[in-house]
Amino acid sequence: MLEKTYRPAEVEEKHYRLWEESGAFAAQPQGNGKPYTIMMPPPNVTGSLHMGHALTFTIQDVLTRYNRMRGRDALWQPGTDHAGIATQMVVERNLAKDGKTRHDFGRDAFIDKVWEWKAESGGTITRQLRRLGASPDWPRERFTMDEGLSRAVRKVFVELHRQGLIYKDKRLVNWDPKLHTAISDLEVEQKEIKGNLWHFRYPIDGEEGRFIVVATTRPETMLGDTGVAVHPEDERYKDLIGKMVRLPLVGRLIPIVGDEYADPETGSGAVKITPAHDFNDFEVGKRCGLEQINIMDRDARLNDNVPEAYRGLDRYEARKKVVAELEALELLEKIEPHTHMVPHGDRSGVAIEPWLTDQWYVDAATLAKPAIEAVETGKTVFVPKQWENTYFEWMRNIQPWCISRQIWWGHQIPAWYGPDGTFFVEETEEEARAAANTHYGQDVELTRDADVLDTWFSSALWPFSTLGWPDQTPELDRYYPTDVLVTGFDIIFFWVARMMMMGLHFMKDVPFRTVYIHALVRDEKGQKMSKSKGNVIDPLEIIDQYGTDALRFTLSAMAAQGRDIKLAVNRVEGYRNFATKLWNAARYCQMNGCEPVAGYQPVGLTQTVNRWIVGALADAAKKVAESIDAYKFNEAAGAAYQFTWGTFCDWYMEFTKPILAGSDEAAKAETRATTAWVLDQILHILHPLMPFITEELWEQLSPARANRLISAEWPEFAADIVDPASRDEMDWVVRLISSVRSMRSEMNVPPAAQIELKLKDPNAVSLKRLDTHRDLILRMARLSSVDPLQGEVPKSSVQAVLDETTLVLPLEGIVDLDKEKARLSKEIDKLTGEIKKIDAKLSNEQFVAKAPEEVIEEQRDRREAADQARDKLQKALEMLAG
């Protein structure tokens, strides 16, 4: 017999260990199943499980377990990412505790330290994924610095270089002056800074007393100005285009150029152009042929390209000095307070510097063309579809991809430099030496490029490098391209797009057929979770408190396409109660002798209620399957929940109590067998969503079973298992009882009151159903009698319509209907007033423009809830007899 209480912690570790030990997660490359492949987005080796991870890995596991049960050869490929900068920082922080830096060790010894840390601490997140119930093929786990993946990285780099698609160039990058490396846009966070807008007068050369005014938030960069831009159509400045200004403090003559980047409506309409220290200015400089002068070093201190008085100054010290000197020269026109967004390194916390430097680049525009076409032609589809627009926007405006990083941990660039700076790009040092020997005609000393590759470079190869490429492995033939990628919208460009480019270029096919973009998990108010706000919900704490299944089901139930998840702990508690309901239902079945019968098939059933539940189960299983196939996880969870709690527990079990307590042994045997069979099928359809409790119940309800639930087949039913007559009959009973319960609730009828129900204008079918199920209806709707109405509708009655019949509930002497009308009207008026207030806010352009997105979303949700509540009360008011 099942324990009285389900204890998740006691069950979860046991079943996960048995699944993993038995090889239940393993793909079957030699089997006959059609392959189904998901590539796990490799979490950072430094990472620990957060709620975003919990969502994406839950969804991937639901898909994997479901397709495994459908007979597919499911490969969920696991692995972790070396996470260049993040990992290096963790190890450097550990060294700093002993007063050491990586430079005390040197590159090779430091790399050894990183591998030591990875061996000791790098498996945290994969251990935590096991707690979530994730079922990837763990023996196939890969790491982006594995030798096999490193070989793939080197081969890709060399081939792209030989094809002219990787090259060195001097361009602007996001430079982190603290970490001393270029960083990607994804590693940059915008912070709102209260600063100033300084307006400077630049003298027009040859026109004494005439100036052009430029405005800037970064006065120090004016020392590197090489032009001033105005809009070509700006009448104020047309005569100045082509003339020169003398750059204050420097004395350099720089041109005034016409370029549409200058906005006549912003500031003075004239902008200073510093191509080496601003991304927009860099593009203007290229269009207008302006010089690029780098005025900073790697520490963001001013270098020798500025006047001597400024050399060596920190950028912010230089700013103060520039402003003071321009003011002394009477070239400072005005200073305005100005709040603006300033990019910062997300790890170092310092303002990043657009810095002109030599880096390695990928010709992303060329690689993007087939990747754009693949989505345009439907070879890869996005779900929800609107994310295709985001993909196209990024891909059609793609810039060269900077792939070099000035750190030590990562894939070192396979390029070697000769004495004169000529470089040789090869997969190995031996090949580089051979190439250098051919070039120079003799052996020379070579120095390897010290930079490493952007982490996204190696993860761009993930869908095929993990399967053994560049070797032509059986796994590569069988599992590429993959079926679906599950990820967040924030890395569509950084990861999804780059996998598309690399997959198409090297494998000649897309890496995945579908990209499912899941929503963000926010707090219950719709705000983004952050440590600073104190609103982070730790999934491991939730699992400890409510069990893994409750968290997984919550995330699935809330994963509606296109909508962020507003996660409240009470929602998890609610689905913990659902797990408890399932457990108690199983105990009830055991206590009433409803045990699985070997070979049972639900055919030839004599009891209407049994034919009904079997058909309802088939409908529910179909709805769950169709919803998972369509990536509508909320609908899948909803269908499973409604059938389990509502149809099976609340209705079928109540409907069959009289049979189980009766004397018809054949009916009792049929009902017990049917109840046990339906419960088994419920465990099947809930398993992808709630794997632990379903596996435990599967084991305990019939310990002699040979197979585990994880390996069981998904329920498939013939169309004739649904009996329309039984369905219509029992649904009529359910709807009648539900209507009466609703009327009682809306009219505040005391729960213990036994009242009459009259049916007005019932047809013969309804009367027959009433006679058959009268005892059920009386018991479950708490009625003293139910009969056809004779004569007029009694006063003080409430009414509701059920098909052709009007349900009449006389309430004279039980409820004061006038008082109820007044109460309902008052509540409706209150809700109407609240709706008007919200509508006024949402129609206020200033409010909509200034309010954060989550506040607007909260207002919309409140309005929707108030609208639904008002409609419900309105219907209740209409039920009152006129």
Side-chain angles (χ1 to χ4, degrees):
M1 178 63 69
L2 286 167
E3 294 285 338
K4 188 173 182 181
T5 305
Y6 174 57
R7 297 183 180 88
E10 296 174 13
V11 165
E12 291 171 3
E13 189 279 330
K14 173 189 76 171
H15 284 301
Y16 198 91
R17 177 174 44 79
L18 290 172
W19 287 331
E20 196 168 356
E21 288 174 357
S22 68
F25 303 159
Q28 305 294 331
Q30 310 305 321
N32 297 320
K34 182 182 176 184
Y36 180 84
T37 316
I38 296 180
M39 285 288 155
M40 177 184 288
N44 286 356
V45 70
T46 60
S48 60
L49 195 71
H50 57 64
M51 203 55 81
H53 287 135
L55 172 63
T56 188
F57 291 123
T58 292
I59 288 171
Q60 290 170 69
D61 193 56
V62 168
L63 288 167
T64 302
R65 288 176 183 269
Y66 164 74
N67 279 283
R68 196 182 279 133
M69 295 174 80
R70 294 294 294 265
R72 301 285 296 271
D73 172 21
L75 169 61
W76 185 12
Q77 172 64 53
T80 50
D81 190 277
H82 65 280
I85 295 176
T87 304
Q88 180 161 315
M89 284 187 67
V90 168
V91 177
E92 287 194 88
R93 276 198 296 269
N94 290 339
L95 295 178
K97 293 174 186 175
D98 298 324
K100 302 281 189 182
T101 74
R102 71 178 192 266
H103 301 286
D104 294 320
F105 291 85
R107 183 171 191 137
D108 291 343
F110 175 75
I111 296 302
D112 289 342
K113 289 285 183 187
V114 181
W115 280 108
E116 286 174 19
W117 175 87
K118 195 261 181 187
E120 292 173 13
S121 309
T124 298
I125 193 158
T126 53
R127 290 192 294 272
Q128 292 170 341
L129 286 177
R130 286 170 164 86
R131 288 207 64 194
L132 191 65
S135 62
D137 193 343
W138 285 116
R140 295 179 182 272
E141 183 180 348
R142 303 304 299 269
F143 178 53
T144 50
M145 290 282 283
D146 285 350
E147 176 46 39
L149 272 66
S150 295
R151 186 160 66 95
V153 166
R154 292 193 297 270
K155 185 173 182 62
V156 165
F157 188 97
V158 171
E159 288 198 10
L160 289 177
H161 179 262
R162 286 174 181 166
Q163 294 162 7
L165 295 170
I166 282 182
Y167 57 92
K168 286 200 82 168
D169 196 8
K170 188 181 285 289
R171 294 177 62 90
L172 282 190
V173 295
N174 297 311
W175 183 260
D176 189 312
K178 182 177 179 181
L179 300 181
H180 295 150
T181 180
I183 60 176
S184 74
D185 289 344
L186 193 67
E187 295 160 318
V188 173
E189 60 179 0
Q190 299 292 336
K191 293 185 179 180
E192 189 174 82
I193 301 295
K194 291 182 177 178
N196 292 313
L197 192 63
W198 287 270
H199 295 252
F200 298 142
R201 291 195 286 266
Y202 285 9
I204 309 295
D205 186 53
E207 298 190 32
E208 191 69 30
R210 191 177 182 190
F211 303 90
I212 189 167
V213 177
V214 298
T216 181
T217 58
R218 305 192 62 209
E220 67 280 9
T221 63
M222 62 86 61
L223 300 173
D225 285 359
T226 59
V228 172
V230 297
H231 195 281
E233 304 302 319
D234 192 331
E235 292 295 336
R236 294 171 295 176
Y237 302 122
K238 267 190 174 181
D239 69 312
L240 287 178
I241 294 175
K243 293 188 177 183
M244 309 292 276
V245 300
R246 189 164 295 279
L247 184 62
L249 306 182
V250 179
R252 185 168 60 240
L253 287 175
I254 61 176
I256 298 173
V257 297
D259 192 277
E260 292 184 355
Y261 169 64
D263 181 2
E265 304 299 321
T266 301
S268 66
V271 289
K272 59 188 285 299
I273 302 299
T274 320
H277 293 282
D278 182 276
F279 288 101
N280 289 316
D281 291 6
F282 180 79
E283 296 301 327
V284 175
K286 278 205 306 183
R287 288 194 294 269
C288 300
L290 301 178
E291 189 181 359
Q292 301 167 346
I293 301 177
N294 189 347
I295 63 166
M296 293 191 193
D297 64 15
R298 69 177 199 155
D299 296 307
R301 292 181 174 275
L302 273 61
N303 61 24
D304 290 346
N305 290 330
V306 299
E308 189 173 351
Y310 291 90
R311 293 172 191 170
L313 292 182
D314 173 80
R315 52 186 163 168
Y316 298 117
E317 294 172 14
R319 177 177 300 181
K320 293 174 186 174
K321 188 174 178 64
V322 164
V323 172
E325 293 207 5
L326 287 175
E327 186 173 19
L329 293 169
E330 297 184 350
L331 295 175
L332 174 61
E333 181 160 293
K334 61 178 176 178
I335 304 174
E336 295 176 320
H338 183 69
T339 300
H340 60 131
M341 304 305 289
V342 176
H344 285 67
D346 65 349
R347 291 186 175 87
S348 67
V350 303
I352 68 106
E353 187 64 44
W355 200 45
L356 191 65
T357 179
D358 288 311
Q359 301 283 351
W360 290 91
Y361 288 89
V362 171
D363 179 0
T366 298
L367 291 175
K369 288 173 185 173
I372 292 168
E373 182 190 10
V375 176
E376 287 174 336
T377 57
K379 289 179 185 173
T380 294
V381 298
F382 279 75
V383 179
K385 190 172 176 62
Q386 68 260 25
W387 287 112
E388 289 180 7
N389 296 328
T390 301
Y391 174 82
F392 288 139
E393 175 67 23
W394 278 332
M395 294 294 271
R396 288 168 181 159
N397 296 287
I398 200 163
Q399 296 295 310
W401 171 18
C402 176
I403 54 171
S404 43
R405 298 290 182 267
Q406 291 67 52
I407 57 175
W408 288 355
W409 171 245
H411 294 280
Q412 193 168 353
I413 287 172
W416 285 261
Y417 295 85
D420 60 356
T422 301
F423 57 82
F424 304 91
V425 174
E426 299 290 346
E427 290 186 48
T428 66
E429 185 172 351
E430 291 71 27
E431 291 170 342
R433 290 191 180 283
N437 185 284
T438 300
H439 176 77
Y440 292 109
Q442 61 181 349
D443 288 339
V444 297
E445 187 175 345
L446 295 180
T447 304
R448 187 167 183 179
D449 195 309
D451 288 356
V452 301
L453 287 163
D454 176 13
T455 299
W456 297 105
F457 190 89
S458 50
S459 56
L461 317 182
W462 189 250
F464 54 93
S465 64
T466 51
L467 299 175
W469 189 91
D471 296 331
Q472 288 303 308
T473 63
E475 287 83 1
L476 198 61
D477 290 338
R478 182 168 177 80
Y479 298 112
Y480 188 97
T482 69
D483 288 80
V484 61
L485 177 75
V486 178
T487 189
F489 72 88
D490 53 336
I491 55 173
I492 291 175
F493 178 68
F494 292 94
W495 191 44
V496 179
R498 288 161 180 176
M499 283 190 289
M500 288 285 284
M501 291 190 284
M502 294 299 193
L504 283 159
H505 192 77
F506 288 96
M507 297 296 297
K508 309 307 176 189
D509 201 351
V510 295
F512 20 74
R513 301 299 185 202
T514 301
V515 180
Y516 172 75
I517 302 294
H518 62 72
L520 285 176
V521 185
R522 299 179 178 272
D523 71 6
E524 60 186 306
K525 296 178 181 176
Q527 294 186 328
K528 193 170 181 178
M529 292 188 195
S530 70
K531 290 179 182 177
S532 61
K533 291 179 183 175
N535 64 346
V536 173
I537 302 175
D538 184 338
L540 296 169
E541 291 179 5
I542 294 293
I543 287 171
D544 288 340
Q545 190 168 2
Y546 299 108
T548 298
D549 291 323
L551 175 61
R552 287 173 58 116
F553 200 88
T554 303
L555 293 170
S556 301
M558 300 183 76
Q561 289 182 13
R563 294 201 69 175
D564 285 347
I565 292 174
K566 295 180 181 177
L567 185 63
V569 174
N570 62 11
R571 291 294 294 268
V572 186
E573 185 178 5
Y575 288 120
R576 188 274 312 274
N577 296 343
F578 174 53
T580 301
K581 184 81 170 178
L582 177 65
W583 186 264
N584 290 341
R587 288 190 82 244
Y588 169 88
C589 290
Q590 275 191 331
M591 291 164 66
N592 283 276
C594 304
E595 298 177 355
V597 176
Y600 172 85
Q601 291 297 320
V603 294
L605 299 175
T606 62
Q607 302 298 304
T608 300
V609 71
N610 290 334
R611 293 195 299 275
W612 165 70
I613 195 64
V614 164
L617 166 75
D619 286 340
K622 183 181 178 186
K623 180 67 187 294
V624 172
E626 288 174 346
S627 298
I628 294 176
D629 285 334
Y631 305 102
K632 297 180 178 178
F633 301 98
N634 60 315
E635 294 183 13
Y641 179 93
Q642 288 158 19
F643 176 79
T644 303
W645 191 309
T647 307
F648 182 70
C649 295
D650 286 354
W651 295 109
Y652 176 72
M653 285 184 167
E654 288 298 324
F655 287 166
T656 55
K657 278 180 179 177
I659 298 175
L660 296 177
S663 56
D664 186 334
E665 293 301 323
K668 286 163 74 171
E670 175 186 297
T671 300
R672 284 181 178 134
T674 302
T675 301
W677 180 83
V678 171
L679 179 58
D680 265 0
Q681 306 314 306
I682 287 172
L683 299 182
H684 281 72
I685 65 175
L686 278 173
H687 179 75
L689 301 156
M690 307 178 80
F692 290 110
I693 189 172
T694 53
E695 189 74 82
E696 178 69 9
L697 289 173
W698 177 261
E699 179 185 274
Q700 294 226 30
L701 291 174
S702 184
R705 287 194 236 251
N707 67 316
R708 298 180 65 76
L709 183 58
I710 190 174
S711 305
E713 293 182 5
W714 183 264
E716 301 278 358
F717 305 107
D720 61 4
I721 198 171
V722 177
D723 176 28
S726 299
R727 177 192 62 204
D728 294 346
E729 181 173 333
M730 297 312 299
D731 283 354
W732 182 87
V733 176
V734 169
R735 288 185 294 124
L736 186 148
I737 294 169
S738 297
S739 293
V740 173
R741 287 176 173 177
S742 178
M743 288 191 284
R744 292 180 66 118
S745 173
E746 295 297 346
M747 295 302 115
N748 284 333
V749 175
Q754 297 283 316
I755 56 179
E756 297 179 338
L757 174 66
K758 303 294 183 183
L759 304 189
K760 183 174 180 285
D761 304 325
N763 62 19
V765 174
S766 294
L767 288 173
K768 185 173 184 302
R769 291 169 176 169
L770 176 61
D771 288 341
T772 303
H773 301 286
R774 185 184 301 275
D775 289 345
L776 273 182
I777 293 167
L778 291 174
R779 175 169 62 88
M780 296 184 69
R782 297 194 299 279
L783 297 170
S784 58
S785 64
V786 52
D787 297 293
L789 177 66
Q790 306 294 330
E792 296 296 316
V793 174
K795 290 183 177 180
S796 300
S797 296
V798 291
Q799 303 176 38
V801 175
L802 178 69
D803 299 336
E804 85 297 335
T805 307
T806 302
L807 307 180
V808 180
L809 211 60
L811 295 178
E812 188 171 10
I814 298 170
V815 173
D816 184 337
L817 293 192
D818 288 335
K819 186 177 178 181
E820 278 305 304
K821 284 182 187 178
R823 180 184 69 82
L824 291 169
S825 296
K826 185 177 179 182
E827 287 294 323
I828 290 168
D829 289 344
K830 182 179 176 183
L831 287 167
T832 300
E834 185 178 342
I835 289 167
K836 283 181 179 177
K837 284 181 183 176
I838 296 171
D839 285 345
K841 271 187 181 179
L842 293 176
S843 61
N844 183 323
E845 291 181 7
Q846 286 187 326
F847 171 78
V848 173
K850 292 180 180 179
E853 183 183 337
E854 57 262 28
V855 172
I856 294 172
E857 188 66 28
E858 183 185 3
Q859 291 293 320
R860 287 178 180 146
D861 288 347
R862 283 182 56 198
R863 194 206 184 286
E864 184 180 347
D867 218 18
Q868 290 173 352
R870 184 176 64 175
D871 285 348
K872 186 179 177 184
L873 294 174
Q874 196 70 46
K875 286 173 185 172
L877 191 59
E878 290 166 4
M879 282 196 295
L880 296 171

